[in-house]
């Protein structure tokens, strides 16, 4: 397309954005209009993409970080022929693929769900990183950012990683339209303010008039020819560009244009220009750049003998290294605590597939999302407590339908002296509440290893909780642990009570069962290693046969194991009487044993609760 | 103190750090040793603080952002006479105030709990902001940061706000010791790399040898004399400085020195220098700079008539503005969505106490923590979904014992067309799992207003969930809503079922009750506006009298209302049969009514569940 055609194309994208929002009665046309020329030039002149084969490994990748500008995205999809005009006008309607914010669950050309700002660039960095290192591919990543979202710290975590990793295959296009949702941004049209920041982090920058299609074309060319560093294109634009009634005006964010027909006329009316997008490099749907699928050699998990004392975090590290040897598509990321999480075991054996993300948990999870989007199987680890830092990224990953393995170490008060800032005590609640998630909490080394391997084959967000201290190996190395299952560790026909534990509370529950048995109280013990999905059948059987339950968890009382157990009884059937033991105090520094005791989740406390419950006393 | 004494003081702080960690058998002496000279000069020459009156409004404020360097902090406390040597050696022991990471719950001189990196500077910005604007005080804020933690995006959110707000009362001291936990940082000793970043964000910077006490002294002086912008002092230091066996070496993070006695000897042995800290400006424990306490005029909350249609977010905004008029100590912060959350109503009436934090939710919450530390009563608002971004800050605020009011708007699928990225569907789980939190979810305008006012007087983290769409006013303006209570909206001696709802599901539950009543099934309806603490008595009575419950919530099934209800039965007493209705699908775009129906939480779905339950059928 020549200059005149590109200008016309930009107007077409504006018109279609206005039309889509008008049909929906909601949406963000003004935020679309500012970036229309940027998109016209990118898709018509620079992006290489096969819309018929979105999985083509040679495809460039485009991310609409300012996800609310979805009308513009869908207008582009129409212009490239991926959707028709009729579908365009289903925007935001029940059942339409064209949601308020684009998601890959619905549309194959979307890399990652956006709509929570400041996430597109971080995920783009992950895709670009995969392209550089394990793939050695020549695809490029283009991310369209808003100016408002540069206030999110996650953008600067991304900027830091991108420059440090020399991601010259990454271009951020910033639509500096000066206006946020409720008014002007901090920096308005001061492109230099943004350029200084990107440059300081090591990026190449280009400042440009975002409505001058030739200048934009040259800027993209400059990005393509810049080697050794990523490029940020800072484009001065006007929100609502092209329609006098809304252009560069406040108070019009997220609203359809007041007089859509007039606006469309002012923009020159509908057009039907078609973009011919450049083909990706390479051919076919597999080959260069794609990660190898599945096992490449037989998986040989580490094995431990019963009675050994091993920390589950160590078992995680060893199992992950073994999984990495068996599967070429496994990658690992860590937040500068690989010596604690034991992700370093993987790093030593597979350095080319290990990504040190430093202390930037949001970026770590975002990079994992990006890699998963390219077909890699990422394991991202840090302290369970610090995964809270990335909660919004996990939430958005679940909306994307992304397949992530997240591993949180140093769970609970059992870490001991370091104190509450380092203790994951809300991670089970956070991860259980993620749509479609899997939550696993192993108690011994062999169980951990099996679950680390099983995670890789699941859908959605999978979370594994590991512990700092050593714990006894209670299962043999050939024992199997299906996700959604549990293990009944003690059982008899005389059981008057069931103890439900997981992780560090399993040995405590066994000790409590011993004590109670010695007093003539037979007790069932369930290791509920699969916190979500939960083993409803086993819990229901236990409830029917023993009548009452004690749940015990190294976690706050809300949202964790106790709640998971009750999920087995949320369908109207009789619910067993139960007592829930959990961490209700604010811990300080103390030894692990002192901590478990102070929280009331050690063997002694469990036995006491059991005695009261079978005596039918009310505990609190 | 002169140069020689300062050098000696630095060595004393090192010796005491080594001694404390040796006594504990754990801790971070090497991270303490790098910053010892920085702390010696600060506390001996520049900080103005009355250790006998930590609440003195004229006190400078010091934050140890690298909280793991707690041995150094405690060594300083000893040197200023705040604690004795005997207490120093209780470090990390059960019951000691000297935890692994310092917390204000235990120690009056600590402003905020640290230990999750990248949080100290953001909180310091909040304190400095309060000092600048509503307080017009001349106290200063000093924050000691590690170099590793500069990888956290939250640091750059803080840097952005600090420079934009011209916080020349804020100094960041960065202990650039080159080594993180598992190895070198990205930038090693490249002070320029950090200086460029801070400068780009608008800070004044000083680069200095962090072991040259005279140079450090001059750097602090330069910070004091810099006007109109905050200062970052980038100090080149050596981890483990002063002990050859550990100095500048990898693999020694978070470990006591291997040969403590030799190390102490190498450092010149124990000393007993005493720091005479400068007095704060002003006198007494109140006066200049302190926020006004409590109500300054009578509170006149907005009032609505029954039957009006009002969004609870609007009621929040109006009530907050009214509260701000009555109480001079209330401040409001928002993440650039004040027009949506309605925090803008407060902004219009009290601009001097309103803080626009732009799209930086971590910084918004951190600034609120800082203001709360100074005695202000902050309300921080954004979309409920985006509060997940600040989860780690909320977690740490609870460890601090901070009093925060957090308000999340646009909860649930009821927002309609915008789609899942904008829907808070895990916020109740997140906030319930915070230690000591309060979680409120009003269904009408008068209830909202009362709860907004009640929040201010509570301890800990208080969360209010508001809704986007209008809902009918069902309570009169004089109705009272105690925290921890509930409202029984329908009740009779014939009730065969209890519906438990909150927020947008209350009108749905009432409509379902009408439908069931018409079929001859009498139903109790409970408005559980206080999700935590939960009204155990009312729920237990309902369970006893009606036999079974249906809970219904616009939230994922995990960790929300359904789990809160079961919390009333977690002590061994009989548990009612129940069905839990919640959002189990992944929503797309659709109208609010379509969304509630698709999620199975509308009146029709509730009535269907009720019919099944009283028929004693199993639902799933």
């Amino acid at each position: 397309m020549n200059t005149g055609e590109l200008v016309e194309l930009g107007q077409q994208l504006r018109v279609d954005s206005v039309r889509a929002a008008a049909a929906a009665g909601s949406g963000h046309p003004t935020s679309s209009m500012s970036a229309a020329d940027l998109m016209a030039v990118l898709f018509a002149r620079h992006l290489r993409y096969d819309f018929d084969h979105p999985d083509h490994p040679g495809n460039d990748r485009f991310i609409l970080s300012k996800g609310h500008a979805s009308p513009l995205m869908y207008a582009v999809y129409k212009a490239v022929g991926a959707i028709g005009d009729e579908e365009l006008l289903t925007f935001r309607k029940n059942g339409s693929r064209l949601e308020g914010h684009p998601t890959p669950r619905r549309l194959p050309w979307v890399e990652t769900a956006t709509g929570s700002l400041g996430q597109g660039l971080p995920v783009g960095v992950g895709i670009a990183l995969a392209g550089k290192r394990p793939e050695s591919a020549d695809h490029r990543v283009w991310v369209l950012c808003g100016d408002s979202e540069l206030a999110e710290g996650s953008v600067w975590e991304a900027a830091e990683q991108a420059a440090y990793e020399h991601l010259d295959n990454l271009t951020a296009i910033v639509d500096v339209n000066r206006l946020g949702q409720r008014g002007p941004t901090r920096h308005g049209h001061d492109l230099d303010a943004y350029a200084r920041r990107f440059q300081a982090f090591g990026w190449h920058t280009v400042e440009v008039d975002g409505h001058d299609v030739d200048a934009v074309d040259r800027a993209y060319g400059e990005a393509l020819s810049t080697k050794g560093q990523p490029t940020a294109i800072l484009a001065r634009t006007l929100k609502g560009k092209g329609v006098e009634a809304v252009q560069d005006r406040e108070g019009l964010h997220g609203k359809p244009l007041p007089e859509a027909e007039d606006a469309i006329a002012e923009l020159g009316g509908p057009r039907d220009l078609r973009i011919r997008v450049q083909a990706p490099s390479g051919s076919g749907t597999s080959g260069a750049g794609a990660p190898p699928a599945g096992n490449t050699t037989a998986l040989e998990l580490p094995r431990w003998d019963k009675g050994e004392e091993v920390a589950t975090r160590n078992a995680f590290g060893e199992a992950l290294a073994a999984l990495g040897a068996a599967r070429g598509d496994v990658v690992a990321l860590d937040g500068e605590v690989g010596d604690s999480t034991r992700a370093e075991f993987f790093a030593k054996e597979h350095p080319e597939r290990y990504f040190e993300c430093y202390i930037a948990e949001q970026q770590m999870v975002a990079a994992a999302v990006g890699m998963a989007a390219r077909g890699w199987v990422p394991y991202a680890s840090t302290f369970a407590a610090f995964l809270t830092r990335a909660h919004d990224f996990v939430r958005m990953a679940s909306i994307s339908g992304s397949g992530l393995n997240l591993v949180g170490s140093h769970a609970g008060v059992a870490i001991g002296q370091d104190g509450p800032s380092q203790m994951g005590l809300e991670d089970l609640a956070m991860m259980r509440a993620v749509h479609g998630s899997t939550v696993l909490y192993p108690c011994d080394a062999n169980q951990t290893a099996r679950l680390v391997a099983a995670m890789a084959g699941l859908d959605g967000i999978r979370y594994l909780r590991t512990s700092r201290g050593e714990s006894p190996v209670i299962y043999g190395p050939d024992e199997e642990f299906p996700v959604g299952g549990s293990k009944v560790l003690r059982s008899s026909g005389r059981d008057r009570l069931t103890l439900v534990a997981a992780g560090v509370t399993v040995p405590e529950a066994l000790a409590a069962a011993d004590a109670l048995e010695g007093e003539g109280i037979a007790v069932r013990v369930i290791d509920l290693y699969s916190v979500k999905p939960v083993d409803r059948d086993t819990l229901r059987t236990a409830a029917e046969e023993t009548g009452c339950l004690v749940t015990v968890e190294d976690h706050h009382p809300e949202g964790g194991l106790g709640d998971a157990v009750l999920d087995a009884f949320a369908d109207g059937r009789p619910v067993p009487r139960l007592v829930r033991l959990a961490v209700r105090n604010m811990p300080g520094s103390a030894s692990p044993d002192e901590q478990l005791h102070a929280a009331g989740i050690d063997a002694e406390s469990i036995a006491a609760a059991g005695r009261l419950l079978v005596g039918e006393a009310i505990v609190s």
Side-chain angles (χ1 to χ4, degrees), chain A residues 510-581:
Chain A
L510 289 170
D514 287 343
L516 291 169
E517 185 78 42
E519 298 166 22
I521 305 171
V523 172
R524 187 165 303 182
V525 179
I526 297 176
D527 169 13
L528 201 71
Y529 62 84
S530 180
V531 177
K532 181 182 175 188
V534 76
D535 184 352
R536 293 193 167 91
D537 290 344
T538 299
L539 290 169
R540 288 168 179 175
T541 301
E544 284 163 21
E545 294 181 359
T546 73
C548 55
L549 271 56
V550 173
T551 66
V552 54
E553 60 192 305
D554 192 358
H555 185 273
H556 287 157
E558 300 88 2
L561 190 78
D563 284 346
V565 167
L566 281 165
D567 196 42
F569 305 96
D571 61 352
R573 75 181 59 224
V575 185
R577 289 187 307 116
L578 81 164
V579 168
R580 293 158 69 165
L581 303 181

Side-chain angles (χ1 to χ4, degrees), chain A residues 385-410:
Chain A
F386 304 146
L387 281 173
T388 56
R389 201 66 160 254
H391 189 166
D392 195 30
F393 285 78
V394 176
R395 182 182 75 87
M396 290 298 298
S398 85
I399 293 173
S400 290
S402 185
L404 293 190
N405 303 288
L406 301 173
V407 181
S409 71
H410 292 65

Side-chain angles (χ1 to χ4, degrees), chain A residues 168-392:
Chain A
D168 51 16
N169 55 345
L170 173 70
T171 305
I173 307 159
V174 186
D175 176 25
V176 185
N177 67 18
R178 185 184 79 78
L179 292 172
Q181 172 174 319
R182 52 82 266 165
T185 60
R186 277 193 179 108
H187 304 294
H189 270 137
D190 181 3
L191 300 185
D192 288 348
Y194 299 114
R196 279 195 302 274
R197 286 163 172 75
F198 276 105
Q199 286 166 14
F201 279 80
W203 288 53
H204 180 65
T205 62
V206 188
E207 299 181 30
V208 69
D209 174 351
H211 301 307
D212 177 341
V213 292
D214 288 326
V216 169
D217 187 52
R218 286 192 299 274
Y220 292 155
E222 187 171 328
L224 287 169
S225 63
T226 299
K227 298 301 173 201
Q229 59 184 158
T231 296
I233 295 170
L234 303 158
R236 185 186 192 283
T237 64
L238 298 177
K239 201 161 177 170
K241 165 75 177 176
V243 175
E244 179 61 25
V246 299
Q247 182 174 299
D248 202 31
R249 298 196 182 198
E250 293 186 36
L252 295 160
H253 182 92
K255 295 175 182 165
L257 264 53
E259 303 291 342
E261 286 307 317
D262 295 350
I264 291 165
E266 188 178 344
L267 290 165
R271 297 157 177 81
D272 196 16
L273 294 169
R274 183 60 67 92
I275 303 174
R276 284 188 52 216
V277 179
Q278 287 183 61
S281 60
S283 62
T285 53
S286 65
N295 281 29
T296 43
T297 64
L299 174 61
E300 293 191 25
L301 284 175
R303 300 165 69 88
W304 292 270
D305 293 329
K306 284 191 191 181
E308 284 189 73
E309 294 277 335
V310 184
T312 55
R313 60 174 170 147
N314 282 45
F316 156 69
E318 291 195 44
L320 185 62
L323 190 65
R327 291 181 65 139
D329 57 356
V330 168
V331 294
L333 308 91
D334 195 275
E336 221 264 293
V337 288
D339 53 337
S340 288
T341 61
R342 309 306 198 207
E344 68 177 7
F345 297 170
F346 181 99
K348 278 174 191 150
E349 294 192 28
H350 314 290
E352 76 290 355
R353 284 184 274 140
Y354 183 74
F355 299 89
E356 176 56 74
C357 297
Y358 296 88
I359 306 179
E361 295 80 9
Q362 295 184 98
Q363 181 53 37
M364 177 182 74
V365 172
V369 170
M371 291 179 185
R374 295 291 301 176
W376 297 92
V377 179
Y379 284 72
S381 50
T382 182
F383 283 29
F386 304 146
L387 281 173
T388 56
R389 201 66 160 254
H391 189 166
D392 195 30

Side-chain angles (χ1 to χ4, degrees), chain A residues 50-62:
Chain A
D50 183 347
F51 274 86
D52 293 326
H53 298 100
D55 291 333
H56 192 301
N59 276 340
D60 285 353
R61 301 285 155 167
F62 173 78

Side-chain angles (χ1 to χ4, degrees), chain A residues 125-138:
Chain A
V125 168
I127 298 177
L129 202 49
K132 270 283 167 189
R133 191 119 61 92
E135 295 172 18
S136 301
D138 76 340

